[in-house]
Amino acid sequence: MTMQETREMGMTHQDFFRGFPVVAGGRSWRQDDDTVTLDTERGPVSIHLGPQGERRIALLVLPVTHLTFTFRGHDQDAIDQFMAKFDFAFRRGGG
């Protein structure tokens, strides 16, 4: 079974690849253009990075990238666990 999730992230492609090793956690992964495939215990997870864009708020310019996650062989619990780990790895502090 194949399932998909999407996220709009405030990051560039460079930001993604800088933080992705935390998500991979030492597991095997490969990059093919704008798609990364990570081998997990439940099966592969492919993450496609959409074009880099930007969001403007007055004079503030923020990067934005749309990500599409494709899960093969994962049940909803496994997807939720992966997405929680992904979100935690890319969480930014504020205050």
Side-chain angles (χ1 to χ4, degrees), residues 35-46:
T35 300
V36 172
T37 302
L38 174 65
D39 298 322
T40 72
E41 309 83 43
R42 303 279 179 110
V45 177
S46 295

Side-chain angles (χ1 to χ4, degrees), residues 3-78:
M3 298 176 74
Q4 286 192 329
E5 296 261 341
T6 59
R7 288 278 193 284
E8 180 181 278
M9 305 292 293
M11 69 174 72
T12 65
H13 288 199
Q14 183 180 10
D15 296 334
F16 174 85
F17 288 108
R18 186 174 32 252
F20 187 72
V22 173
V23 175
R27 288 189 212 102
S28 173
W29 62 281
R30 58 201 166 280
Q31 179 183 355
D32 184 23
D33 293 323
D34 291 334
T35 300
V36 172
T37 302
L38 174 65
D39 298 322
T40 72
E41 309 83 43
R42 303 279 179 110
V45 177
S46 295
I47 306 169
H48 176 76
L49 286 73
Q52 285 184 182
E54 53 185 38
R55 175 165 290 132
R56 294 178 177 271
I57 304 169
L59 296 176
L60 181 65
V61 180
L62 302 170
V64 65
T65 300
H66 291 268
L67 305 179
T68 302
F69 299 79
T70 303
F71 298 88
R72 292 177 191 84
H74 294 72
D75 60 20
Q76 192 61 51
D77 281 343

